[in-house]
Amino acid sequence: MSRKTQFFLIVGFFILVVGSALKSLLGITFAYSTPILWGVFAFFVGLSIFIEKDNLKEFFSLKTTKHGMNMGTAILLVVVLLIAVNYISISRDKKWDLTTEKLNSLSPQSIQIIKGLNEKLELIGFFKDDDPQIAQTKAVFTEVAERMRYENSKVSYEVYDPDKRPDLKAKYNVSAMGDVVILYGGKQKLVSIINMLQPEQAEETLVNNVYVLSRSNTDTIYFLTGHGERDINDEGRDGISYLRKSLLDLNYEVKTLNLLQSDKIPEDAKMILIIGPKTPIYDGEIKALKEYAQNGGRILVAADPGEKSHIQKLAEIFDVDFKNNYIIDFAGMRVGGSQYLAVGLSYPEGKSNITKGFKANTNFNITSEVGFKGQTEGVSHEVLVGSSPQTLVRNVLSESIDVDPKTERPRSRDIGVLTEGKLPGAKKDFKFIFYGDSNFINNNDIQVSILNRDLILNSIAYMADQKELISVRPKKLKLSAFFMTSTQSLLITWGLYIIVPFVFLFSSVILWYRRRYS
């Protein structure tokens, strides 16, 4: 490089450095100062290149230069690739849950609710530091809150020791360890997750309360009474207090309605549930229910076969055929030891999506087949759940089941159906769901079978036009076991401890011999 070239480069760098220093340190500037500085620098650099063009041409023609440039280009590409990968990994956080039951992520229902939040959600947990008794609950809260944050960037969470932050304890009226403050949309709610040692427990509590805060109104559900229906306050095995609690957790208002005392259905009734009637429902009550449906009402019925409830009169209005027989399911013998336990395995795809995502069985103890009349125009039909394909039907209960293979062939039977549309003379569309069994939502069955709970709550959510609640709820751990016969165990033992080591030893000897005497 000639002295003239060195001089021009030094001048160009000097002007750029001095000009930048005057701008940043002394604040001396003028119009278009930055473009002018870089323009002068580029002029002197270009002048230097023009002077050294012959030397540069010779330099770039050398093999060592070409190899160096190739190596530099490769290094540059690797650096750019690494930068791009790191940028994508940071800006687009993505996780994969490879467990069978998706135990390391929120349930589909929770994801719908959290992703639907359009305002900032704050979760503030209060747990004492270094307290082994609540350490697990604290870890569960942090895990669930982090899953919620992953699904929606508007979610944030904090954890405090109430003894160290008495100001926050007083501000949020925290009274016990394990309290969590939920802040959303200017509203506040205090819930407790103490002793919740599994993520699905804390998830359901937190997400349900978040949903309650995010809703602007409350729907009222009426349970019909006066005909021996299941009691919403009965905490025994056959009661439905667990269903009532689940509805209250989802911010529904739950009331009872006796049409024998009042022939008018309240105006605030979002829907009416008739669960397990045993005595006749009178014509005047059926008329009131029909008028309610003609004005856009929603009715859900879960009726048991063999009862004198006259519920088939109500079902026929909505084009539903309640067979009032008994489903015999041979698959139920394997599940629950009873042929009268109908196993729900068929979930036809429909527009309601009530059973979308159902991959396990629902259980119905002593249930009837349900179908469609197909006689009312303007009414659509949808099967929600069907039994296993190994079912027959009988008109009476019997301990022994005689099957004639020539005349009877097992097939799947419909257990739950949905109809909707306009009745003759109606002003608005109705929605009507009918299940041929009410046992599946009693306190025992709804807790034993998680999908039983999902089925009834999804049905209610669809009737209430709350699609964000139609999904599979928080799941529980499903233990998977791998069983081997004694022969399989012996083969694996021989393979791992004898055959495989012998193959490696033999291969090593052959390799040593060939290299030694080659």
Side-chain angles (χ1 to χ4, degrees), residues 186-205:
K187 294 182 286 186
Q188 172 183 323
K189 192 165 188 180
L190 182 66
V191 299
S192 175
I193 63 168
I194 194 65
N195 297 326
M196 293 186 181
L197 304 181
Q198 298 298 330
E200 67 269 8
Q201 296 175 309
E203 175 187 335
E204 187 165 6
T205 297

Side-chain angles (χ1 to χ4, degrees), residues 61-100:
S61 63
L62 297 175
K63 288 185 178 182
T64 54
T65 303
K66 292 180 180 180
H67 290 316
M69 291 182 65
N70 290 337
M71 180 62 69
T73 303
I75 294 173
L76 181 62
L77 289 175
V78 170
V79 171
V80 171
L81 179 62
L82 291 174
I83 294 174
V85 170
N86 278 275
Y87 173 77
I88 294 174
S89 64
I90 293 172
S91 60
R92 298 179 180 271
D93 188 15
K94 180 65 178 176
K95 299 177 182 178
W96 288 271
D97 188 352
L98 302 180
T99 60
T100 303

Side-chain angles (χ1 to χ4, degrees), residues 2-18:
S2 65
R3 291 185 176 180
K4 185 184 295 185
T5 302
Q6 293 176 358
F7 173 76
F8 287 142
L9 287 176
I10 292 173
V11 171
F13 276 108
F14 179 79
I15 293 175
L16 181 63
V17 170
V18 172

